[in-house]
Amino acid sequence: LADVAAHQAKEDGRGVYRFAGHEKNQVAQERLMLGSALRDALAKGLLNLHYQPQVETMTGGLYGVEALSRWHHPKLGNIYPSRFIAVAEETGQIEAIGRWSLQEACQQMVKWDKAGMHVPTVSVNLSAVHFRNRALPEFIANLLAHHNLTPDRLTVEITESVMMDGSGDTEDVLHAIRKLEVGLSMDDFGTGYSSLSRLTRLPLSEIKIDRSFINDFEHDANAQAVTMAVIGIGSRLGLTVVTEGVETVQQHRLLEKLHCDVMQGYLFAKPLPPAELENWFRTGQERGSFITPAAGKQG
Ligand code: C2E
Ligand code: MG
Ligand code: MG
Ligand code: MG
């Protein structure tokens, strides 16, 4: 119901929201409220990016960081992307958020470069709607040129839902982005509907195994078998395999055994504001590894 209402509101455009008859319920109202608060937050620059490090399993080196949107509302407090990204998609604001996060992430990379902190690549999450826009590759190319960043410094994360709309435009846009030599990562891999044959057709550079697979990893032989198989397929396809949501030393050990290339999760660091990431980076640099002693010790 909320989806119908929000869809209607979106189609109406120009900030005039019309609802089909009596279908105006609390959920829809909350979404509308959040939608206009979000518009306000975007205009006032109240969205932030936090960055979560990704570490190389074998070397303990920094592979990159993932940029994750954060919204601190003066009255409602912290609003998480699980809540506001859907609203942004329904109220037609997701493209603006995507452009903003690409810009913000590139700007941050330049700042870190100047400060002598080398982050190899920053990953930005984009929603399905972005890839229906044929102007996206050029937007990205211009952005990189403007910031004087080589394309390998940026990775775009897509989800399997991107492929679900089946439009030819989407595949073209993905190929054009990859042609720029920007990284292209399949996020939350294993949770969607994409077939393996489609996976081989996409110009990916990376897959991220969804954290649901490693949640009960330690006790679930089936989850382990699937993860092992996915890591195997990914590496044979020449893709970098990242596992997200790594929280325990046991998971780390197992991923090491399975030759997973890159790990990301609370075990290493939560998504952090830039200043805190800088501290985390300096500490790791002094230690000579970005894998924490607790994670590196046992086993
Ligand atoms: P995602 O891209 O799969 O990001 C990973 C999510 O898992 C993040 O949640 C991160 O904070 C969380 N996470 C990381 N490590 C751990 C861990 O060890 N344990 C647990 N339990 N969680 C962990 P977050 O930041 O709330 O973002 C949720 C989702 O919202 C993201 O999932 C992404 O799909 C979407 N999102 C975030 N920012 C943006 C954005 O700027 N644009 C778009 N389109 N989507 C975004
Ligand atoms: Mg992601
Ligand atoms: Mg993910
Ligand atoms: Mg996820």
Side-chain angles (χ1 to χ4, degrees):
L1 195 58
D3 286 345
V4 174
H7 186 64
Q8 186 102 5
K10 175 181 158 189
E11 296 218 321
D12 210 31
R14 283 176 251 134
V16 183
Y17 299 113
R18 192 166 5 93
F19 289 95
H22 47 269
E23 281 162 19
K24 196 172 178 182
N25 59 25
Q26 247 183 324
V27 183
Q29 272 185 5
E30 198 224 43
R31 298 223 148 170
L32 274 186
M33 188 276 287
L34 272 186
S36 68
L38 186 57
R39 204 174 299 277
D40 192 52
L42 257 175
K44 291 186 180 149
L46 296 180
L47 293 190
N48 292 303
L49 289 180
H50 283 188
Y51 298 89
Q52 187 175 33
Q54 304 169 311
V55 299
E56 290 178 352
T57 313
M58 287 306 155
T59 64
L62 184 65
Y63 169 79
V65 297
E66 177 177 10
L68 294 153
S69 299
R70 293 291 178 264
W71 176 15
H72 184 78
H73 188 280
K75 285 193 191 119
L76 302 172
N78 289 324
I79 305 174
Y80 282 86
S82 53
R83 238 177 119 201
F84 73 78
I85 292 297
V87 172
E89 284 171 348
E90 287 159 6
T91 56
Q93 300 183 73
I94 194 66
E95 283 205 271
I97 292 184
R99 282 191 299 271
W100 164 79
S101 47
L102 285 166
Q103 263 155 353
E104 180 69 24
C106 286
Q107 234 167 53
Q108 187 60 63
M109 289 292 269
V110 172
K111 281 186 201 159
W112 282 330
D113 281 354
K114 283 189 180 143
M117 171 175 151
H118 184 63
V119 176
T121 195
V122 61
S123 290
V124 173
N125 294 280
L126 293 181
S127 301
V129 59
H130 291 104
F131 299 95
R132 288 181 220 136
N133 185 348
R134 289 192 167 267
L136 180 64
E138 201 188 338
F139 178 84
I140 291 175
N142 289 339
L143 190 64
L144 292 169
H146 176 77
H147 288 95
N148 213 3
L149 290 169
T150 52
D152 55 306
R153 306 297 299 285
L154 180 67
T155 300
V156 169
E157 290 192 11
I158 64 173
T159 56
E160 288 165 283
S161 67
V162 166
M163 293 318 300
M164 287 310 288
D165 71 37
S167 95
D169 281 5
T170 294
E171 277 204 44
D172 289 351
V173 168
L174 290 173
H175 278 92
I177 289 174
R178 190 68 189 114
K179 219 173 151 198
L180 297 172
E181 291 174 38
V182 165
L184 192 62
S185 177
M186 176 66 80
D187 199 1
D188 301 335
F189 183 76
T191 57
Y193 309 93
S194 77
S195 68
L196 288 173
S197 74
R198 195 179 250 160
L199 183 68
T200 63
R201 275 201 353 250
L202 288 179
L204 299 172
S205 57
E206 176 184 297
I207 53 175
K208 296 182 78 172
I209 302 180
D210 191 68
R211 83 163 182 267
S212 58
F213 285 99
I214 68 156
N215 266 348
D216 15 54
F217 209 50
E218 294 140 54
H219 318 285
D220 183 347
N222 288 339
Q224 265 186 52
V226 171
T227 307
M228 182 155 49
V230 172
I231 291 173
I233 291 168
S235 348
R236 299 239 173 115
L237 291 173
L239 306 173
T240 302
V241 182
V242 181
T243 298
E244 61 177 23
V246 181
E247 291 181 352
T248 68
V249 175
Q250 287 74 17
Q251 290 168 342
H252 169 221
R253 284 280 152 247
L254 211 46
L255 289 167
E256 202 170 39
K257 231 171 59 190
L258 299 178
H259 300 292
C260 175
D261 301 313
V262 178
M263 300 175 294
Q264 176 181 350
Y266 295 168
L267 182 64
F268 311 104
K270 294 200 165 180
L272 300 169
E276 283 179 43
L277 185 77
E278 282 151 40
N279 290 336
W280 178 91
F281 182 91
R282 302 289 171 217
T283 308
Q285 205 176 31
E286 277 160 31
R287 190 200 297 133
S289 171
F290 293 103
I291 294 177
T292 52
K297 235 168 16 204
Q298 337 175 355

